[in-house]
Amino acid sequence: DVCSSDLLVMRSIILSLFLTIAGTLSSQIYVPNAFSPNGDGDNDVLIVSCNDTVIDYEFTIFTRQGEVIFHSTDPKQAWVGGYEYYAPCNVFNYMLVWRTDIFSDIQRLYGFVLVLR
């Protein structure tokens, strides 16, 4: 039987590992969690910030129903919250896939972004 102190140690190790991995990912890639495409000049576009050169980049934004409303393979391409799909004030899910070089593992990041109008 595993006693409760062993479970606490295991949870602590898992949490520590998760925070280390999340910290490593966040130092390479940053995706804002909100933006306001209202034309006022402040936070009008959503763009992924990359500290490193990235290859095999793919950024996809989905509606809650799973419909793809934005897809880019160019790290410099911003989402403006419009064009083919006008994004209302809502929360949208995203998936980001990238590598820093051909020898590195593929990284995946999932999250959400809030559109404020």
Side-chain angles (χ1 to χ4, degrees), residues 39-68:
D40 68 355
D42 291 326
N43 301 313
D44 283 332
V45 299
L46 176 72
I47 191 157
V48 176
S49 300
C50 308
N51 291 340
D52 293 324
T53 303
V54 294
I55 61 172
D56 295 333
Y57 175 91
E58 199 170 336
F59 185 51
T60 309
I61 299 175
F62 307 89
T63 64
R64 289 184 182 202
Q65 293 75 29
E67 176 188 358
V68 174

Side-chain angles (χ1 to χ4, degrees), residues 60-79:
T60 309
I61 299 175
F62 307 89
T63 64
R64 289 184 182 202
Q65 293 75 29
E67 176 188 358
V68 174
I69 57 172
F70 178 78
H71 179 80
S72 176
T73 56
D74 178 3
K76 293 178 179 35
Q77 184 178 4
W79 182 43

Side-chain angles (χ1 to χ4, degrees), residues 7-106:
L7 286 175
L8 283 175
V9 169
M10 288 178 4
R11 286 183 187 155
S12 173
I13 290 170
I14 289 169
L15 179 61
S16 212
L17 179 61
F18 173 77
L19 292 175
T20 301
I21 290 171
T24 301
L25 290 177
S26 66
S27 67
Q28 294 175 4
I29 297 280
Y30 172 72
V31 182
N33 60 3
F35 80 115
S36 58
N38 57 8
D40 68 355
D42 291 326
N43 301 313
D44 283 332
V45 299
L46 176 72
I47 191 157
V48 176
S49 300
C50 308
N51 291 340
D52 293 324
T53 303
V54 294
I55 61 172
D56 295 333
Y57 175 91
E58 199 170 336
F59 185 51
T60 309
I61 299 175
F62 307 89
T63 64
R64 289 184 182 202
Q65 293 75 29
E67 176 188 358
V68 174
I69 57 172
F70 178 78
H71 179 80
S72 176
T73 56
D74 178 3
K76 293 178 179 35
Q77 184 178 4
W79 182 43
V80 296
Y83 297 137
E84 293 97 28
Y85 178 89
Y86 176 83
C89 186
N90 209 335
V91 175
F92 297 89
N93 297 312
Y94 70 79
M95 176 181 66
L96 178 62
V97 180
W98 81 96
R99 289 195 300 175
T100 54
D101 60 57
I102 60 171
F103 301 109
S104 65
D105 292 332
I106 292 176

